[in-house]
Structure formats: C-alpha cells, structure tokens
Amino acid sequence: MPTTFEEWQEAYGLSPERADAEFLTLSGEEVRPLYTEADLPERDQIGLPGAFPFTRGVYPSMYRGRLWTVRQFAGFGTAEETNERFHYLLDHGQTGLSTAFDMPSLMGHDSDSPLSLGEVGREGTAVDTLDDMQDLFAGIDLGEVSVSMTINAPAAIAMAFYVVAAEKSGVPADRLGGTIQADILKEYIAQKEWCFPVDAGMRLLGDMVQWCSAEMPRWHPISISGYHIREAGSTAAQELAFTLKDGLTYVEQAVERGLDVDDFAPRLSFFFNAQIDFFEEIAKYRAARRIWARELKETFGAKNPKSWLMRFHTQTAGVSLTAQQPLNNITRTAIEALAGVLGGTQSLHTNSYDEALALPTEEAVRIALRTQQVIAHETGVTNTIDPLGGSYFVESLTDQLEAQAYDYFRRIDELGGMVQAVKENYPQREIADASYELQHRIDAGSRVVVGVNRFQHVDEQPIEILRIDPALERKQIDRVKAVRGRRDSAAVEQVLAQLRAAAATDQNLMPVLLDCARAHATEGEIVHALQDVWGDYTETPVF
C-alpha cells in the first residue's frame, strides 16, 4: 500500500490504463491521473466567497442566502403565443423571463421581408414593432419581473421598443430590471448575426450603454456572452479569453466616452456556456471571476467593489444535445446545470431534451425546469458555499485556464486589440481550428458521444416534437402590415430622417430610437435607415 507520492507513482505504473479512453478534457487538454496539494495555488488566489478575487463566488452567503434565478429561454410564433408561454412559466415557478427572438428579428429584417420567408417565428418570437413588444409582455408587471432579451445587432432598437412598451403600461425606465445581451463583438466572432460594420456596431452599443447608465439604474445593458463562442466550437479557454476580452473592450470604450468605470461596471453581466466536461466548466467560471476582478481593479482602477464582481447567467450546452436517443439529453443537461451551480452562477437556463430536433414541447420545458428545482432542493449542493473549493484538481484547472486566457490576451493585444483582432478574423480562426479538432476526435471515436458514436440504438422511434403552425407567419406579416396601415406615415418618415441625420454625427442615438418606437417605425425600417448612413457588413470566410 503506497504511503508516499513516489510509491503511488510506482504502483500506478504497474496498472495499465484503459485503452479505449483518451483522458483529455473536452477542450483537448491532458488530465493527469492524480492531483495533490502541490497543485494548489497560493491561499490568497482562492480566498473567500464575497471577497477579492472572488474565486469562490461573488457573494458571502451565495446560495444559502439566495438561490440562482431560474430563467428559462422562451419564444416562438407571434408575440401572443410567446406571451402565453411566459405566463405558463411564471405559473410553474420561474422567477425571471428570457426572450428568444426569431432569426429575422435578430438580423434586423421585418417579417414581411423576402429575406424572412420561412423563418418567421421558427426559432423564437417575431418582434417587428412596438405593438409586438406590448403584446409580448401583456399582463406582466415589468416593474416586478426581471426580463432578459437575447438580441444583439439590433439590441438598441429592441431596447427602445421595450422601454416605450413599459412606459405605455405605466412603468418608467428607471424601474425596469433585467438584461439585454447586446454583445456585438461576439456576433462577428461566432453567432454571425449582424446589421452594420464592426465600428458602427460598436458605436450603437456604446450609445445604448451610455444612455442606460444614466436612465436605467436597475438594467444590465450588456450580457457579455461566451455562450455562442462555445456553441461555435471553441475550447473552454477560448470561451473564457474571448468573452473577457470582449468585456474589457466594452469597458475601455465606455471609459473613452467619459464614463466613470464605477458608474456602469456594476451593471455589466456575463453569459457562459455549461458544457458536458464537469470539472473544466467549474474551473472556467472560477477563473473568469478572478480575472475580471483583477482587471477591473488593477487595469481600470475601479474603486467600487461591485465593479469587480462578475455576475453571470449560465445556459446548458445546446451543442451537446443529440438528436439520437434524445432522452439522454435530460442527463446531459442535469450534469451541465450542476456544473453551473457548483461554479457559482447567478441565473440558469436548462435546455430541454428535444431541442436538437425542434423548439421544446411544454413537457420538455417542464422537465428542464424541474431539473433545476431538484438540484436546488434535493441534492444538498446549496448547503455549503463552493463545496469544490480547495479541490486539487479543480484549483489546478482554474490556474491552467487563467494562464491560457492571459496568453490569448497577449496575442490579441499584439494585433491591436479585440476590435482589430475580429477584423483580422483571429478569434474566428482559433475557434474554427478547435471545432475541427473536436469533431475529428468524435468522428474517430476517441471522444465518446453516447448514442452517436457508441451505444447506438438500432430501432429508435421518433418522439413527438413541437411544430410551429405555418399560418403564424402569415398572421405576423398581416400584423406588420396592419401597423403600417394605421400609423402616421409622415411622422414615421420624419423620425427616420432624424435618425439618419443623427447617425451621421456623434450624438447619442437612443433618444431618437425611442422616438422611432413611439412613431411605430418597424425594426427593419430603422435598420435600413442606419444602413443608409453606415452601410452593411460582409464577412471574410474562415476555413
């Protein structure tokens, strides 16, 4: 029986390892057979929860004081159908709303555009006008419910619709709480939903952040998102590095605009993926908090401790879901959600088991919701704070991911910063290479995906899936045309002309966008007015 590390090494060497296992993280990093106290960092790098550098969590009491927000992503068809789903989720215990927009809305196209054909209401809800936004949240007190909106390139337009919709229901902007994603650099890097050239996209984001900082003290104007970077095939280190560098770039832009870092940084939030490699994900979240705290305090000179806190939302990995044996996805989602919780997330979305095939059914959504409730109330993981803190393996992985992130920071800085790196396709190439490597491991069978490349089931029967009624597209098109028919067209043309004139200057565009919303201009009309001034964007392909 070994009593020293050296004796253990000798004993381990006498036992052959399994030939069918690769002993790598999902990201392809080698995992040693044993970690010891020699792998622990200095004590001050681990610290205490609620204390700098926040490795162990952003709040002293974490889940003993308050559980994470259950925030299930929802949206399909028209605003009316999604409003019904919102009420269903709230009635079943959800504590925050998360809005999924359809592809035309994300790309800045109206539902009656030829480019929207076949996509209206398919992947989320269609929001073309102020009227749609009002219908989306009908019967919901926007002063009480926290709302998240996942939209990026036209985020400032959606924000204007939302603010005016709330205004018309008697809720002023300063009472609205929630988040809009608005992470435009991530779009050019990974999700590929843009409306304008990179510099113009950054300018529009900066206008919204500046306006929200002054007018919406409860609102998070950016949810800096690694989720889609990971879904595009990045490694954990790439998700960590590119997401944080995007966030630091937004901070730099706001400071250059004259904002005090402590006036807006406390309301920045993040959005991370929870992939299937349990320990790697937990380490990623810990490293993220530590890096962000250090950079805001030491690089940007933030004095308010709230500016140092990285608060983040987590969503389980859509890309990990399989169309084969879809019930296995319940297990995958539970493991990924548990990683998010043990990593200290502030809110959580659990994917539904059928989402590799379609938008989820109500049954699938209910199971996903119950998964979070089982973790919260039955497993005991919320009884103590950061139960994996001090784990030799987890702390070593945290240090490793932190070092890899700073290596990427150095390379990006050498290119002239994140905006220039994006223009030169640097992060895009890195992600493409990582995605290829992972798929090669899966295709070769060294990375096992249960039900796909091992443990297949021959006579698998299809499951019932949600099918979107094609008539909803016609219904939404008619809604847009009805708005155009009853609004004051001259007023719309006047406010769009004011928007074009303002876009050609450096004035903040949010007040004009609010006027566009009040005049019932459509999202597509507003985007086209800005494109008249700024132009469009065409990506250079990366192979």
Side-chain angles (χ1 to χ4, degrees):
M1 180 179 295
T3 58
T4 67
F5 181 72
E6 289 73 20
E7 290 175 352
W8 170 84
Q9 282 183 307
E10 183 178 351
Y12 183 81
L14 299 175
S15 306
E17 294 181 336
R18 288 182 286 119
D20 62 347
E22 59 177 13
F23 301 112
L24 303 175
T25 68
L26 180 66
S27 300
E29 298 293 331
E30 183 178 353
V31 178
R32 303 201 308 271
L34 184 69
Y35 291 77
T36 70
E37 61 183 8
D39 295 296
L40 291 177
E42 296 295 324
R43 184 179 295 272
D44 62 355
Q45 290 300 299
I46 301 176
L48 294 169
F52 187 88
F54 306 102
T55 309
R56 304 196 68 186
V58 291
Y59 301 123
S61 62
M62 287 303 290
Y63 305 137
R64 284 183 70 110
R66 178 183 176 183
L67 291 173
W68 62 91
T69 298
V70 178
R71 194 188 296 278
Q72 294 296 96
F73 200 37
F76 64 95
T78 71
E80 292 171 345
E81 284 74 33
T82 300
N83 177 262
E84 290 178 7
R85 178 62 65 88
F86 281 167
H87 281 283
Y88 173 87
L89 291 168
L90 291 171
D91 290 344
H92 282 75
Q94 182 159 311
T95 52
L97 296 176
S98 184
T99 311
F101 294 86
D102 70 359
M103 188 59 68
S105 299
L106 295 172
M107 298 294 291
H109 304 311
D110 287 338
S111 294
D112 60 351
S113 165
L115 295 173
S116 302
L117 182 63
E119 292 292 338
V120 176
R122 291 282 175 179
E123 298 178 2
T125 190
V127 175
D128 296 305
T129 65
L130 169 63
D131 302 67
D132 292 326
M133 193 66 82
Q134 288 178 280
D135 289 342
L136 184 62
F137 294 104
I140 297 169
D141 187 346
L142 297 181
E144 296 296 327
V145 174
S146 172
V147 172
S148 172
M149 292 187 284
T150 302
I151 190 167
N152 294 276
I157 301 168
M159 187 80 254
F161 288 168
Y162 185 71
V163 169
V164 176
E167 175 185 286
K168 288 184 175 294
S169 70
V171 181
D174 61 5
R175 281 191 55 211
L176 296 173
T179 304
I180 193 163
Q181 194 163 105
D183 181 359
I184 192 60
L185 287 175
K186 169 265 300 173
E187 292 300 322
Y188 300 108
I189 292 171
Q191 189 156 314
K192 313 300 183 184
E193 293 162 3
W194 50 69
C195 297
F196 314 111
V198 178
D199 291 333
M202 286 291 291
R203 178 259 173 98
L204 187 58
L205 171 66
D207 285 355
M208 189 183 71
V209 171
Q210 191 168 24
W211 186 85
C212 288
S213 294
E215 305 294 336
M216 301 180 72
R218 297 182 59 220
W219 193 262
H220 299 271
I222 315 178
S223 177
I224 305 151
S225 177
Y227 185 84
H228 309 89
I229 291 172
R230 195 64 178 279
E231 292 288 286
S234 80
T235 65
Q238 289 167 350
E239 179 191 0
L240 176 65
F242 299 156
T243 304
L244 293 185
K245 196 62 172 175
D246 285 350
L248 295 171
T249 301
Y250 299 142
V251 172
E252 185 177 356
Q253 180 196 54
V255 170
E256 288 174 353
R257 281 173 167 247
L259 294 179
D260 186 300
V261 66
D262 287 322
D263 286 342
F264 67 89
R267 292 194 302 281
L268 297 178
S269 64
F270 285 79
F271 175 22
F272 285 110
N273 202 300
Q275 254 286 6
I276 193 63
D277 193 309
F278 186 71
F279 293 109
E280 185 175 51
E281 295 305 285
I282 295 167
K284 178 185 71 182
Y285 306 132
R286 296 164 64 83
R289 281 192 294 269
R290 195 153 76 198
I291 294 170
W292 186 254
R294 182 185 302 116
E295 293 302 311
L296 266 290
K297 182 180 181 181
E298 298 178 4
T299 302
F300 289 97
K303 296 179 175 57
N304 183 352
K306 292 182 179 179
S307 297
W308 310 336
L309 304 184
M310 168 178 278
R311 286 159 292 209
F312 65 94
H313 172 68
T314 303
Q315 180 175 339
T316 57
V319 74
S320 73
L321 304 179
T322 65
Q324 301 91 331
Q325 301 178 30
L327 291 178
N328 295 342
N329 294 329
I330 297 173
T331 304
R332 293 186 178 100
T333 294
I335 292 168
E336 292 164 359
L338 185 59
V341 169
L342 291 175
T345 191
Q346 276 60 67
S347 62
L348 180 62
H349 166 98
T350 34
N351 288 330
S352 300
Y353 68 83
D354 53 359
E355 287 192 72
L357 299 165
L359 291 178
T361 62
E362 283 195 356
E363 178 199 44
V365 169
R366 186 168 55 252
I367 292 171
L369 180 61
R370 296 290 182 251
T371 299
Q372 294 202 42
Q373 292 163 340
V374 169
I375 291 172
H377 301 291
E378 295 188 25
T379 62
V381 298
T382 62
N383 289 342
T384 189
I385 302 160
D386 187 31
L388 292 180
S391 157
Y392 303 148
F393 182 39
V394 170
E395 298 295 356
S396 177
L397 271 179
T398 301
D399 287 354
Q400 180 179 327
L401 283 162
E402 181 181 17
Q404 290 173 321
Y406 273 106
D407 186 50
Y408 270 118
F409 288 178
R410 177 187 55 77
R411 284 183 268 174
I412 290 166
D413 288 341
E414 288 172 355
L415 292 171
M418 197 57 171
V419 172
Q420 188 59 35
V422 168
K423 291 179 180 178
E424 295 184 18
N425 282 329
Y426 171 69
Q428 296 93 310
R429 284 195 304 272
E430 289 291 301
I431 294 169
D433 289 345
S435 178
Y436 174 83
E437 290 299 325
L438 176 58
Q439 190 60 49
H440 178 73
R441 289 162 60 198
I442 294 170
D443 292 344
S446 59
R447 176 75 194 181
V448 176
V449 181
V450 173
V452 176
N453 62 2
R454 200 181 297 184
F455 312 113
Q456 297 96 329
H457 186 62
V458 177
D459 298 318
E460 191 171 351
Q461 297 301 308
I463 63 171
E464 289 292 324
I465 62 173
L466 178 68
R467 299 188 185 278
I468 305 301
D469 186 350
L472 291 177
E473 180 161 338
R474 182 72 256 169
K475 176 182 176 182
Q476 180 63 21
I477 290 171
D478 290 342
R479 285 166 62 93
V480 178
K481 291 182 176 179
V483 170
R484 289 200 183 100
R486 65 175 178 262
R487 70 189 183 182
D488 184 340
S489 297
V492 172
E493 289 305 317
Q494 181 179 11
V495 77
L496 290 176
Q498 292 170 359
L499 179 62
R500 292 186 190 94
T505 71
D506 60 359
Q507 79 175 77
N508 193 298
L509 296 182
M510 279 305 298
V512 190
L513 290 174
L514 291 167
D515 289 340
C516 289
R518 295 186 184 105
H520 298 273
T522 69
E523 181 192 63
E525 291 165 342
I526 296 169
V527 167
H528 289 153
L530 292 172
Q531 288 176 337
D532 288 343
V533 180
W534 294 338
D536 201 348
Y537 177 75
T538 302
E539 182 183 40
T540 303
V542 174
F543 299 101

